[in-house]
Amino acid sequence: MCGIVGAVAQRNITPILLEGLKRLEYRGYDSCGVALHVDGQLQRSRSTSRVADLEQQIAQSGLAGFTGIAHTRWATHGAPASHNAHPHFSRERIALVHNGIIENHEELRAELTALGYVFESQTDTEVIAHLVDHMYSGDLFETVQQAVKRLTGAYAIAVFSRDEPHRVIGARQGSPLIVGVGKGENFLASDAMALAGTTNQIIYLDEGDVVDLQMQRYWIVDANGKSVEREVRTVHAHSGAAELGPYRHYMQKEIFEQPRAIGDTLEGVTGIMPELFGDKAYGIFKQIDSVLILACGTSYYAGLTAKYWIEAIAKIPVNVEIASEYRYRDSVPNPQSLVVTISQSGETADTLAALKHARSQGMLHTLTVCNVDTSAMVRECALAYITRAGIEVGVASTKAFTTQLAALFLLTLSLAQVKGRLSDAAESAYLKQMRHLPLAISAVLALEPQIIAWSEDFARRENALFLGRGLHYPIALEGALKLKEISYIHAEAYPAGELKHGPLALVTDQIPVVTIAPNDTLIEKLKSNMQEVRARGGQLYVFADADSRITPSEGVHVIRLPEHYGQLSPILHVVPLQLLAYHTALARGTDVDKPRNLAKSVTVE
């Protein structure tokens, strides 16, 4: 979501702030801005266009300085507009940027209005700026420590004062914030990628921390105001990973990176062992009698797929919960359950909150599948498997999803082994299949020209249905999500057997029906469901395995995948659905990498 960059240096920091914003663009945003301390005054530049436009704006104005903050905003309170863009000022003395949501902003706004503060925006952020100004006592570090005690909700903030040059204060609660340590200069950012090429010495602030950045030093206090030391880590956030290269969009690049990403995620896996997930994994896996998976969006669909795997192979019951729902309902806790969180960024606010809720219920056996080894999710869980998808810029997740599936299949096999339900022969067969996955995915990617032909028809539609059965129902859900995310076509997914219980009423010759048809035990049932669609004039677009005996005919369009892949088939079948969504969006002329109203890393509730 929103991105923060801040700096205190002995050089002009404007290029550093702008470069940091460019590296945070992958999070999604609808406005951006920079504020600097210039000759004893606060100056800023804001835009509702892209960072590149902001950069031109700043170049024309000559804005430069040694102390400043910058921000990319994803609108929550107030429409995307210049007056709502960050940074926000208070009485030309305080400049502030903020990620998160302040839940008691209305109460604070009323209080500050009564004190004479005039609000120029509809944001909850401006409330914090005026609150800091109202409480300002000449020491910004002390003021921010007191001000954040008045805030309810989630926040990461960066703030500086006109009256204290060469000083930026940061604070976090429920939203990530890091410190970048330099020589004679220090930095703040939402993640290490923003500072790639500037510094690789990174401090991950804990919940409740407040940091005082100056040129030669920094101080950190915890939520109780006690001075603390936080570990300085060397983090290699390679900026080159986010370069587009020969591809038209990051999403296309990331789809085609999946063979490499899967290979990297499975690198070094020579056998199935619980220690893949951490030193304590064997003891934990031995104790647990069920699994609870918590996730959101695409990661939730990965969890649904894992439920089929774990119950079929490891014979352990699994519940999969949407994280934002789980934390707000009365559930029945089981201390012997393994709580598994799934997140690309490891900072997903709803999933983190659901994890903390589960732990508060006495469920302490925790594991995360995550793409960022320094994330809050990894720090919060006892066990972890780090996928190695690399940075994923496109908002619509692709390679993060397939690497999550690969990791969850390893988890399935590890649980089965500990429970004595995985034979040596089965382990060997599964490992052989997993090693073959990169080559198998490459063969599926070669189907792109046929998928492009389909996309030209889809681009003219406004509705679509996706059907799958068993293991492939979650993949149908993921395919529908991809199409709606980036092409803005309304798409829904159903278990194919549910057609006659309602969705069949929607079927006409104007609604394409995408069907996932692997040659598994449900193929004949699926063929019957397909006949139900054809009998109502529906147009079928079928992704079939080579040996599934589904032939093209009037109203039945077929693309054949090279081979059936058994339990791992979902990883292959999702790839053509990603390509279909991408090329349909391309044909419709939408912003593929930054779809409207969506953000990459959802760090607010």
Side-chain angles (χ1 to χ4, degrees):
M1 286 195 122
C2 307
I4 288 174
V5 190
V8 180
Q10 301 176 57
R11 53 176 168 157
N12 176 25
I13 61 169
T14 305
I16 295 172
L17 297 180
L18 288 169
E19 186 61 31
L21 292 187
K22 289 177 184 176
R23 296 200 175 119
L24 293 174
E25 285 188 289
Y26 75 93
R27 289 169 167 251
Y29 66 104
D30 45 48
S31 61
C32 50
V34 169
L36 293 162
H37 193 288
V38 182
D39 297 329
Q41 301 295 322
L42 303 184
Q43 293 190 22
R44 68 183 167 186
S45 183
R46 299 183 289 182
S47 173
T48 54
S49 297
R50 294 301 180 197
V51 174
D53 298 295
L54 176 68
E55 187 174 33
Q56 289 184 353
Q57 200 170 294
I58 288 174
Q60 291 171 0
S61 68
L63 188 61
F66 304 102
T67 302
I69 53 180
H71 192 262
T72 53
R73 175 181 186 251
W74 187 84
T76 55
H77 298 74
S82 294
H83 66 281
N84 286 326
H86 299 211
H88 287 286
F89 284 0
S90 180
R91 295 186 176 177
E92 302 299 319
R93 180 168 69 168
I94 299 296
L96 182 141
V97 294
H98 161 233
N99 294 350
I101 291 178
I102 303 304
E103 295 174 2
N104 62 333
H105 71 98
E106 291 181 346
E107 169 193 334
L108 292 171
R109 179 182 288 259
E111 178 183 325
L112 290 161
T113 300
L115 291 170
Y117 284 91
V118 177
F119 285 81
E120 298 177 353
S121 76
Q122 289 80 49
T123 68
D124 53 340
T125 300
E126 191 179 4
V127 168
I128 313 174
H130 291 321
L131 179 65
V132 170
D133 181 81
H134 170 61
M135 300 179 73
Y136 187 57
S137 58
D139 186 323
L140 190 61
F141 188 42
E142 292 183 359
T143 300
V144 171
Q145 290 178 63
Q146 296 305 311
V148 295
K149 293 177 181 177
R150 297 288 314 278
L151 305 179
T152 302
Y155 57 81
I157 62 172
V159 54
F160 71 96
S161 169
R162 176 195 64 199
D163 301 336
E164 296 183 69
H166 303 302
R167 193 180 200 186
V168 172
I169 310 301
R172 68 150 298 194
Q173 180 69 47
S175 194
L177 192 66
I178 66 164
V179 175
V181 180
K183 294 181 180 179
E185 55 189 18
N186 290 299
F187 309 91
L188 284 174
S190 300
D191 65 40
M193 178 57 65
L195 303 179
T198 299
T199 182
N200 62 4
Q201 299 299 293
I202 302 298
I203 297 171
Y204 291 87
L205 296 177
D206 283 3
E207 291 286 91
D209 281 356
V210 182
V211 59
D212 181 354
L213 293 189
Q214 299 187 28
M215 285 190 295
Q216 302 293 344
R217 56 196 298 186
Y218 59 86
W219 293 264
I220 301 173
V221 297
D222 63 16
N224 298 315
K226 180 182 177 182
S227 180
V228 291
E229 296 286 335
R230 301 292 184 212
E231 179 186 359
V232 180
R233 307 185 189 187
T234 300
V235 177
H236 297 289
H238 299 294
S239 59
E243 293 174 0
L244 190 56
Y247 297 95
R248 292 186 65 177
H249 297 91
Y250 285 106
M251 183 178 179
Q252 183 188 29
K253 174 177 183 276
E254 288 151 13
I255 290 171
F256 278 84
E257 284 178 338
Q258 287 176 112
R260 189 274 309 159
I262 293 281
D264 288 352
T265 295
L266 300 177
E267 185 179 358
V269 178
T270 57
I272 300 303
M273 59 192 77
E275 287 74 21
L276 291 168
F277 298 86
D279 294 339
K280 300 177 182 178
Y282 178 82
I284 291 175
F285 290 178
K286 198 72 176 174
Q287 292 180 58
I288 62 105
D289 61 11
S290 62
V291 176
L292 170 64
I293 297 176
L294 304 172
C296 302
T298 286
S299 296
Y300 172 69
Y301 299 149
L304 289 178
T305 308
K307 174 183 173 71
Y308 283 92
W309 283 336
I310 295 170
E311 293 193 342
I313 298 172
K315 307 300 181 185
I316 299 172
V318 179
N319 286 323
V320 188
E321 297 265 6
I322 296 173
S324 58
E325 292 293 316
Y326 169 75
R327 62 182 293 215
Y328 291 116
R329 72 176 186 83
D330 291 330
S331 57
V332 181
N334 175 11
Q336 297 308 112
S337 188
L338 176 65
V339 179
V340 178
T341 63
I342 310 171
S343 170
Q344 188 281 137
S345 67
E347 304 289 351
T348 308
D350 287 316
T351 308
L352 279 168
L355 170 65
K356 292 174 183 178
H357 175 71
R359 287 197 320 208
S360 73
Q361 301 290 304
M363 302 172 71
L364 303 181
H365 301 317
T366 57
L367 181 153
T368 189
V369 173
C370 181
N371 192 38
V372 182
D373 62 357
T374 54
S375 64
M377 207 84 71
V378 174
R379 297 196 300 272
E380 293 281 345
C381 287
L383 306 174
Y385 194 92
I386 307 302
T387 59
R388 297 174 64 185
I391 185 171
E392 189 178 60
V393 176
V395 167
S397 181
T398 53
K399 62 179 180 174
F401 178 69
T402 50
T403 54
Q404 286 171 355
L405 290 179
L408 290 165
F409 195 72
L410 282 178
L411 175 62
T412 299
L413 299 183
S414 296
L415 290 170
Q417 185 189 72
V418 171
K419 298 299 184 182
R421 294 159 189 159
L422 183 69
S423 67
D424 290 345
E427 176 182 341
S428 177
Y430 284 134
L431 282 171
K432 183 178 179 181
Q433 278 192 311
M434 295 190 81
R435 292 190 191 102
H436 184 60
L437 271 173
L439 188 59
I441 294 172
S442 295
V444 175
L445 290 168
L447 300 172
E448 185 179 33
Q450 297 176 57
I451 296 169
I452 291 172
W454 281 12
S455 70
E456 293 170 359
D457 184 36
F458 273 70
R460 298 190 292 269
R461 311 297 179 179
E462 294 302 326
N463 300 279
L465 290 175
F466 285 69
L467 303 179
R469 294 202 74 146
L471 261 177
H472 296 82
Y473 168 51
I475 300 308
L477 288 165
E478 174 64 8
L481 177 63
K482 286 292 150 289
L483 190 67
K484 73 181 76 169
E485 278 182 309
I486 62 171
S487 74
Y488 315 146
I489 294 171
H490 170 248
E492 293 191 61
Y494 287 90
E498 282 293 291
L499 266 176
K500 51 189 166 292
H501 296 288
L504 204 55
L506 298 173
V507 172
T508 71
D509 61 1
Q510 295 303 304
I511 298 183
V513 181
V514 180
T515 308
I516 304 165
N519 190 23
D520 58 16
T521 57
L522 292 171
I523 187 64
E524 296 305 323
K525 298 284 188 185
L526 183 65
K527 288 178 181 178
S528 297
N529 302 141
M530 292 166 56
Q531 289 303 315
E532 293 171 347
V533 173
R534 283 301 301 132
R536 276 78 180 176
Q539 296 288 310
L540 286 163
Y541 292 80
V542 186
F543 290 105
D545 287 343
D547 53 358
S548 59
R549 298 197 186 117
I550 297 174
T551 56
S553 60
E554 184 180 353
V556 181
H557 313 273
V558 181
I559 291 177
R560 297 191 186 283
L561 274 65
E563 56 187 313
H564 177 55
Y565 224 63
Q567 290 283 0
L568 289 168
S569 174
I571 298 177
L572 298 190
H573 270 276
V574 76
V575 174
L577 301 181
Q578 296 168 349
L579 287 169
L580 179 63
Y582 170 73
H583 284 290
T584 300
L586 202 61
R588 287 169 70 96
T590 63
D591 191 339
V592 173
D593 288 331
K594 302 181 183 71
R596 67 190 183 201
N597 305 331
L598 299 179
K600 181 64 184 174
S601 180
V602 186
T603 54
V604 297
E605 184 179 354

